[in-house]
Amino acid sequence: MSYRSSLSAVLADVVAPAAEVTGGQGRFPRTAVTALGRAGLLGLTAAAPDGGGGRGRAEAAEVVARTASVCPATAAVLASHFAAVAALGVYGSVWLRGEIAAGRHLATLALGDGGPGERAPAGEGAERWPPLPGEGGPAAVRSGDVVTLRGRRRGVVAAGEADSYLWLSEALEASRPTRPQAPSGSSRRLAGGDGGTLWVVPAHASDLFVPARPCGGGPGGSGTSTVCADPVLVPADAMLGPDGAGLEIVLGVVRPWLLELTDAMAAAAPRAGEVALEDGQLAGACPAGGRSEGARPGRAPSVDGRSGAPGSGEGGLRVGRSAGTLAPT
């Protein structure tokens, strides 16, 4: 069966019947995501040698557009997944690429901070928000084979629902160029300093959480929210590409996919496309002058898409997808 036929079947049998509940009640489309995976659509753009569909941006944009016309939330999840897979397919481990190709792994982007000078909104447990890069210590520190990541990422689609996050941090201390003291606060951003480093952060990592009252956005049900690392420990081999080359990978690999997929969403469902980029998978990661002028942080909070998620007991929701979504080290 072709991917178009598979998509038609999933849209008619699974996505469309749940679209009203997904959008109206803000319920993450877990059943739809599972069905898309089983139909080979989550692995559509994974490389053929890895077992995937081997398709490119044009086919992914077609899938996103057709899905957006039925359920904008599901389309937003697919767009973020395909954009993340563009990098994971090049820099991810063999095991992870195989899981994506098999449709068993949902990836998403966690690239943008809240922008210069932003703090946790009142009442959102400010004491639980980790410092931004440049505020209170390095955002990535290596000790032996373990790296400590700190920070928060806004506008994350499928927050608390994805199996892994493409996470952009500052470069490790040893790789940072010597430069004058950066300005105080979050004005020391990746685009104005080092090139950053990309990591794949598993959802089951301890102390990765979604605030109880997050800064949301995105189509209702897309689970668009803030994700915090407070801190998170990852193995050193979770690094994607060279240390310090993260922003180059984001701009050269991830960004073209995200922009084309967002355009596809906008053509099929204008509101979905507007919000998808407005809440900025690339906000805080793109340098001034790029397409990211569409990313305008600071929209009103929306319903968190995680239905039935346990509270962390500390003012937030643990991300907590099932353990083992990334290969053990």
Side-chain angles (χ1 to χ4, degrees), residues 113-121 129-135 152 154 183-189 284 297:
D113 62 30
E118 286 202 353
R119 295 289 191 276
W129 287 66
L132 290 170
E135 292 184 326
R152 61 181 170 89
R154 290 191 58 196
S184 60
S186 60
S187 55
R188 178 188 175 192
R189 298 172 71 193

Short mmCIF file of all heavy atoms in Angstrom, two decimals, residues 113-121 129-135 152 154 183-189 284 297:
data_model
loop_
_atom_site.label_atom_id
_atom_site.label_comp_id
_atom_site.label_asym_id
_atom_site.label_seq_id
_atom_site.Cartn_x
_atom_site.Cartn_y
_atom_site.Cartn_z
N ASP A 113 14.64 29.03 23.63
CA ASP A 113 14.36 29.49 24.98
C ASP A 113 13.27 30.55 24.90
O ASP A 113 12.68 30.78 23.85
CB ASP A 113 15.62 30.02 25.68
CG ASP A 113 16.24 31.23 24.99
OD1 ASP A 113 15.48 32.01 24.36
OD2 ASP A 113 17.46 31.41 25.09
N GLY A 114 12.97 31.20 26.00
CA GLY A 114 11.86 32.13 26.02
C GLY A 114 12.18 33.49 25.46
O GLY A 114 11.31 34.35 25.39
N GLY A 115 13.43 33.74 25.08
CA GLY A 115 13.79 35.07 24.59
C GLY A 115 14.43 35.89 25.69
O GLY A 115 14.40 35.54 26.86
N PRO A 116 15.05 37.01 25.34
CA PRO A 116 15.80 37.80 26.31
C PRO A 116 14.95 38.27 27.47
O PRO A 116 13.86 38.79 27.30
CB PRO A 116 16.28 39.00 25.47
CG PRO A 116 16.29 38.51 24.07
CD PRO A 116 15.14 37.55 23.98
N GLY A 117 15.47 38.06 28.66
CA GLY A 117 14.87 38.63 29.85
C GLY A 117 13.63 37.94 30.37
O GLY A 117 13.04 38.39 31.34
N GLU A 118 13.20 36.83 29.73
CA GLU A 118 11.96 36.22 30.20
C GLU A 118 12.20 35.39 31.45
O GLU A 118 13.23 34.78 31.64
CB GLU A 118 11.37 35.32 29.11
CG GLU A 118 10.74 36.10 28.00
CD GLU A 118 9.72 35.25 27.26
OE1 GLU A 118 9.64 34.05 27.54
OE2 GLU A 118 9.02 35.80 26.42
N ARG A 119 11.20 35.38 32.30
CA ARG A 119 11.21 34.56 33.50
C ARG A 119 9.93 33.72 33.52
O ARG A 119 9.03 33.93 32.72
CB ARG A 119 11.24 35.44 34.77
CG ARG A 119 12.50 36.26 34.92
CD ARG A 119 13.69 35.35 35.28
NE ARG A 119 14.83 36.12 35.67
CZ ARG A 119 15.71 36.64 34.85
NH1 ARG A 119 15.53 36.51 33.54
NH2 ARG A 119 16.74 37.31 35.29
N ALA A 120 9.86 32.81 34.45
CA ALA A 120 8.64 32.05 34.61
C ALA A 120 7.50 33.00 34.95
O ALA A 120 7.65 33.85 35.81
CB ALA A 120 8.80 31.03 35.73
N PRO A 121 6.35 32.86 34.27
CA PRO A 121 5.22 33.72 34.58
C PRO A 121 4.77 33.54 36.02
O PRO A 121 4.99 32.50 36.62
CB PRO A 121 4.13 33.24 33.60
CG PRO A 121 4.90 32.63 32.47
CD PRO A 121 6.12 32.02 33.11
N TRP A 129 12.03 26.74 37.86
CA TRP A 129 12.49 26.97 36.49
C TRP A 129 14.01 27.06 36.49
O TRP A 129 14.59 27.92 37.14
CB TRP A 129 11.90 28.26 35.93
CG TRP A 129 10.46 28.16 35.61
CD1 TRP A 129 9.44 27.97 36.50
CD2 TRP A 129 9.86 28.24 34.33
NE1 TRP A 129 8.24 27.92 35.85
CE2 TRP A 129 8.47 28.10 34.51
CE3 TRP A 129 10.36 28.44 33.04
CZ2 TRP A 129 7.57 28.13 33.46
CZ3 TRP A 129 9.47 28.47 31.99
CH2 TRP A 129 8.09 28.32 32.19
N PRO A 130 14.69 26.19 35.77
CA PRO A 130 16.15 26.27 35.70
C PRO A 130 16.59 27.57 35.04
O PRO A 130 15.83 28.18 34.29
CB PRO A 130 16.52 25.06 34.82
CG PRO A 130 15.32 24.18 34.82
CD PRO A 130 14.14 25.09 34.97
N PRO A 131 17.82 28.00 35.31
CA PRO A 131 18.31 29.23 34.67
C PRO A 131 18.48 29.04 33.18
O PRO A 131 18.74 27.94 32.70
CB PRO A 131 19.65 29.47 35.36
CG PRO A 131 20.09 28.11 35.82
CD PRO A 131 18.81 27.40 36.19
N LEU A 132 18.33 30.12 32.45
CA LEU A 132 18.62 30.09 31.03
C LEU A 132 20.12 30.02 30.81
O LEU A 132 20.90 30.31 31.71
CB LEU A 132 18.07 31.35 30.36
CG LEU A 132 16.54 31.46 30.28
CD1 LEU A 132 16.17 32.85 29.81
CD2 LEU A 132 15.99 30.43 29.33
N PRO A 133 20.57 29.62 29.61
CA PRO A 133 21.99 29.66 29.32
C PRO A 133 22.56 31.04 29.65
O PRO A 133 22.02 32.06 29.24
CB PRO A 133 22.06 29.36 27.82
CG PRO A 133 20.85 28.53 27.57
CD PRO A 133 19.79 29.09 28.49
N GLY A 134 23.66 31.05 30.40
CA GLY A 134 24.28 32.30 30.77
C GLY A 134 23.75 32.88 32.06
O GLY A 134 24.23 33.90 32.53
N GLU A 135 22.75 32.24 32.66
CA GLU A 135 22.20 32.70 33.93
C GLU A 135 22.47 31.64 34.99
O GLU A 135 21.83 30.62 35.01
CB GLU A 135 20.69 32.91 33.82
CG GLU A 135 20.28 34.06 32.93
CD GLU A 135 18.78 34.26 32.95
OE1 GLU A 135 18.05 33.26 33.06
OE2 GLU A 135 18.35 35.41 32.87
N ARG A 152 15.39 25.60 29.94
CA ARG A 152 13.99 25.38 29.61
C ARG A 152 13.81 25.69 28.14
O ARG A 152 14.49 26.55 27.57
CB ARG A 152 13.08 26.27 30.45
CG ARG A 152 13.29 27.77 30.29
CD ARG A 152 12.32 28.54 31.19
NE ARG A 152 12.63 29.96 31.24
CZ ARG A 152 12.14 30.88 30.42
NH1 ARG A 152 11.34 30.48 29.44
NH2 ARG A 152 12.45 32.14 30.54
N ARG A 154 10.80 26.47 25.26
CA ARG A 154 9.40 26.80 25.05
C ARG A 154 8.93 26.36 23.68
O ARG A 154 9.73 26.09 22.80
CB ARG A 154 9.19 28.31 25.21
CG ARG A 154 9.34 28.81 26.63
CD ARG A 154 8.86 30.24 26.75
NE ARG A 154 7.47 30.34 26.33
CZ ARG A 154 6.87 31.50 26.02
NH1 ARG A 154 7.56 32.62 26.07
NH2 ARG A 154 5.61 31.52 25.67
N PRO A 183 26.70 39.90 28.49
CA PRO A 183 25.76 40.70 29.28
C PRO A 183 25.01 39.81 30.25
O PRO A 183 24.88 38.61 30.04
CB PRO A 183 24.82 41.29 28.22
CG PRO A 183 25.56 41.19 26.94
CD PRO A 183 26.44 39.99 27.06
N SER A 184 24.52 40.41 31.32
CA SER A 184 23.77 39.63 32.31
C SER A 184 22.44 39.21 31.72
O SER A 184 21.93 39.80 30.79
CB SER A 184 23.52 40.48 33.56
OG SER A 184 22.78 41.62 33.23
N GLY A 185 21.86 38.17 32.32
CA GLY A 185 20.55 37.70 31.90
C GLY A 185 20.61 36.89 30.64
O GLY A 185 21.67 36.53 30.14
N SER A 186 19.42 36.60 30.11
CA SER A 186 19.34 35.70 28.97
C SER A 186 19.68 36.38 27.65
O SER A 186 19.47 35.80 26.60
CB SER A 186 17.94 35.10 28.88
OG SER A 186 16.99 36.11 28.74
N SER A 187 20.17 37.63 27.69
CA SER A 187 20.60 38.26 26.44
C SER A 187 21.82 37.57 25.88
O SER A 187 22.18 37.76 24.74
CB SER A 187 20.90 39.74 26.67
OG SER A 187 21.84 39.91 27.70
N ARG A 188 22.46 36.74 26.69
CA ARG A 188 23.55 35.91 26.18
C ARG A 188 22.91 34.67 25.59
O ARG A 188 22.73 33.66 26.24
CB ARG A 188 24.48 35.54 27.33
CG ARG A 188 25.64 34.62 26.91
CD ARG A 188 26.40 34.16 28.15
NE ARG A 188 27.42 33.20 27.81
CZ ARG A 188 28.07 32.46 28.69
NH1 ARG A 188 27.78 32.57 29.97
NH2 ARG A 188 28.99 31.61 28.32
N ARG A 189 22.55 34.74 24.31
CA ARG A 189 21.82 33.67 23.67
C ARG A 189 22.71 32.95 22.68
O ARG A 189 23.74 33.46 22.26
CB ARG A 189 20.57 34.22 22.97
CG ARG A 189 19.61 34.86 23.96
CD ARG A 189 18.49 35.57 23.25
NE ARG A 189 17.59 34.60 22.64
CZ ARG A 189 16.68 34.96 21.74
NH1 ARG A 189 16.56 36.19 21.36
NH2 ARG A 189 15.88 34.05 21.23
N GLY A 284 14.57 31.88 19.67
CA GLY A 284 15.73 31.84 20.55
C GLY A 284 16.88 31.05 20.00
O GLY A 284 17.95 31.01 20.59
N PRO A 297 7.15 35.00 20.72
CA PRO A 297 6.86 34.41 22.01
C PRO A 297 5.86 35.25 22.78
O PRO A 297 5.69 36.44 22.54
CB PRO A 297 8.22 34.39 22.71
CG PRO A 297 9.23 34.48 21.61
CD PRO A 297 8.56 35.31 20.55
#
